[in-house]
Amino acid sequence: MYGNYHASNLRQLTGTLPACSHTRSVLLLKVRAPRSLDAVEDRYGHRISYLRVSITDRCNERCSYCMPRELQEWLPRDGILSFKETLRLVRVAASLGVKKIRVTGGEPLTRRDVLPFLQELARIPEIDDIGLSTNGTLLARDVTPGVSMASALRAAGVRTVNVSLDTLDREDYQQVTGRDFLPAALAGIDAAIAAGFELIKLNCVLIRGRIEAQLEPLVEYAASRNLLLRFIELMPVSTQEVLGASQFFPIAEARRWLDERYGALMPEPQFRTNGPATYYQLPASGQRIGFIGAMTNLHFCESCNKLRLTCDGKLRPCLGSYLEFDVMKVMRAGATDAELQRFFLDVVERKPQQHDFRDNYQPGRKMVAIGG
C-alpha cells in the first residue's frame, strides 16, 4: 500500500534532507509497509502507538528548565498548526496504529477553543486514550457558570491529566515558575479530582537545592489525594546547565532518600503507564511512586513508543535528538493523506535507538517550543 519512500521524497516535499542525529550522514532508507495497523515499528523494534501533540508554544508560567527567562517571542498564528490541520494529522497517525494522544503545550489550556478541539479528537474512532499535560493553574476556572475547566475536559473525552508540581512551598514555586500561582495550581488539582479523571499524575522535576525539602511533603500530599506521583530527572532540552552538580539530582538519590524515610521501596515492574517511568510502592502504605530517569537509566529508550508533533508542525521521532521533519510544509503544499502516511512512516524509520542527551547534547529548541 505504501511502497518505497526514500529521503529524496522528503527532500522533494520539505526542501530539507534528513540527517541521522548520531552521524549527521544522510540516510537513504526503504520504508517497510506496516504488517497491520497495530504494528508500525522502527528499525529497532519500537512499536509506535503514542503521539504527543503540542498545540501552543505559549505558557502562563516561566519554568527555568523549560522556557528561557529572557523575552520569549511567540510564534505567529499562521506559524502554528490550526486545529483542523492537527486533527487531520492525528487521523493519519491513527490510521497507522496510534491509539494514545497526549495534548501538551506550552500550556495547552491557554489556547482558545481547546475544548471543541478535544471533543473532535475524541471522535476519532482509533484513538482510545486522550491525556493532557498542564501546570494545573487553569483547571479550576469556570468555563461556564458552575462548570470548571477540569470538568469540561473530562466531558470532552480527556481520560487522564498530568500536572506539573515541583514544590508545595509558595516561595519556591514562584522562583521555579516565575509566577505566584501555587494556590491556583493546587485548586486546579482539586478540581481535577472532583472532575473524576481516570488517572491524575503529578510530575515533579528533581532540582538539587529545592527537592530535598520537598520529597516528603510531595509524597504525603499525593498520598492524601490518592494521586500518582512521579519524580523526573532534569534533561538538557533547553539548557546544559541543568546537568551541573548544583542542579542535577538523580532518581537513585531520590529513591535512597525515600528508602531511608519510608523503608525499602518495593519494585513494581508489572505496573506500566504509557511512558518510560519505573514504579515502586512504599512498604507500609502501598503508595505508588514513579521515577523517570532519562539521564541515569541506561534502558530508558528500550520501550519507547512515541512520536512528537510540535505546534509549528514538526514531527520529531525523539525528544533527545535534533531530528525533526516539517510535516506542516508538506501538508500545506497539498499532500494527500496517503503521502502524509508515507511521511509518518519515513519519520518512524529515522527514530534513533536512543536519545542523545548523554553525548554532550547541545540544546537547540527550548522545551516550550517542542512540547512538554
Side-chain angles (χ1 to χ4, degrees):
M1 176 180 177
Y2 303 101
N4 297 337
Y5 198 65
H6 301 279
S8 57
N9 298 84
L10 274 181
R11 176 168 52 193
Q12 180 181 358
L13 291 173
T14 69
T16 60
L17 192 62
C20 173
S21 60
H22 296 287
T23 66
R24 296 295 184 186
S25 61
V26 174
L27 295 176
L28 297 177
L29 299 175
K30 182 181 292 185
V31 173
R32 300 184 302 272
R35 291 184 293 276
S36 75
L37 292 183
D38 296 318
V40 176
E41 294 184 359
D42 68 5
R43 293 169 290 160
Y44 306 104
H46 298 123
R47 299 168 64 90
I48 308 304
S49 60
Y50 180 12
L51 181 67
R52 295 180 70 96
V53 176
S54 173
I55 61 172
T56 182
D57 63 330
R58 304 191 180 207
C59 189
N60 58 342
E61 295 189 331
R62 298 293 183 273
C63 296
S64 55
Y65 48 80
C66 180
M67 183 186 295
R69 290 299 174 92
E70 65 266 19
L71 181 65
Q72 175 73 25
E73 293 186 6
W74 308 118
L75 291 166
R77 179 171 296 182
D78 63 358
I80 66 172
L81 292 166
S82 69
F83 281 145
K84 182 178 180 180
E85 290 172 323
T86 301
L87 287 165
R88 183 184 176 195
L89 291 174
V90 170
R91 291 187 184 99
V92 169
S95 75
L96 297 172
V98 167
K99 299 182 179 301
K100 158 80 175 183
I101 301 292
R102 178 161 295 281
V103 177
T104 71
E107 169 50 54
L109 300 184
T110 62
R111 183 161 175 183
R112 186 178 302 175
D113 295 327
V114 65
L115 289 171
F117 164 72
L118 290 166
Q119 289 167 350
E120 288 299 314
L121 198 62
R123 293 190 181 104
I124 299 175
E126 299 89 346
I127 301 302
D128 58 22
D129 191 354
I130 299 173
L132 182 128
S133 292
T134 174
N135 58 35
T137 60
L138 301 176
L139 287 173
R141 69 181 177 93
D142 281 356
V143 293
T144 58
V147 179
S148 70
M149 173 61 81
S151 294
L153 290 169
R154 186 70 186 99
V158 176
R159 295 177 56 185
T160 66
V161 291
N162 290 4
V163 182
S164 299
L165 185 66
D166 297 337
T167 177
L168 291 167
D169 180 90
R170 188 166 180 173
E171 182 178 349
D172 260 2
Y173 187 98
Q174 185 169 2
Q175 290 178 2
V176 171
T177 66
R179 299 291 186 268
D180 184 20
F181 289 169
L182 179 61
L186 297 180
I189 292 169
D190 287 339
I193 295 169
F197 290 101
E198 294 178 22
L199 181 63
I200 301 171
K201 291 177 276 189
L202 300 182
N203 287 342
C204 171
V205 175
L206 296 165
I207 306 173
R208 188 173 298 280
R210 299 186 185 280
I211 191 58
E212 295 90 335
Q214 289 299 307
L215 283 166
E216 183 174 357
L218 284 165
V219 168
E220 299 300 326
Y221 174 82
S224 70
R225 287 162 171 77
N226 195 30
L227 304 176
L228 182 58
L229 175 64
R230 286 122 53 96
F231 293 110
I232 304 173
E233 285 180 346
L234 284 164
M235 294 172 281
V237 180
S238 299
T239 172
Q240 276 196 320
E241 295 175 2
V242 298
L243 300 184
S246 64
Q247 295 190 50
F248 187 74
F249 194 96
I251 57 171
E253 192 168 341
R255 283 201 303 266
R256 284 196 299 270
W257 188 95
L258 294 174
D259 282 342
E260 293 173 1
R261 171 64 181 83
Y262 295 100
L265 276 72
M266 300 180 295
E268 199 175 9
Q270 74 280 4
F271 181 81
R272 301 290 298 176
T273 52
N274 282 291
T278 56
Y279 290 93
Y280 294 75
Q281 285 188 343
L282 300 187
S285 66
Q287 181 185 356
R288 183 173 287 137
I289 306 289
F291 299 90
I292 300 175
M295 299 306 299
T296 62
N297 178 4
L298 300 182
H299 303 284
F300 185 79
C301 300
E302 289 181 357
S303 60
C304 185
N305 62 347
K306 71 174 70 68
L307 300 177
R308 291 173 180 265
L309 178 64
T310 68
C311 65
D312 59 345
K314 307 300 190 299
L315 196 58
R316 294 179 66 104
C318 174
L319 174 63
S321 167
Y322 299 106
L323 289 175
E324 60 178 30
F325 304 98
D326 196 344
V327 69
M328 180 170 72
K329 184 175 181 180
V330 172
M331 181 168 55
R332 290 183 178 179
T336 65
D337 283 358
E339 288 171 329
L340 292 174
Q341 285 177 324
R342 292 195 294 270
F343 191 102
F344 268 80
L345 290 170
D346 210 350
V347 172
V348 169
E349 281 292 327
R350 284 154 177 77
K351 187 173 176 66
Q353 186 172 18
Q354 59 185 2
H355 64 67
D356 292 344
F357 285 148
R358 302 187 196 96
D359 297 327
N360 195 31
Y361 182 85
Q362 299 298 317
R365 302 227 275 168
K366 304 299 183 185
M367 186 69 182
V368 69
I370 298 173

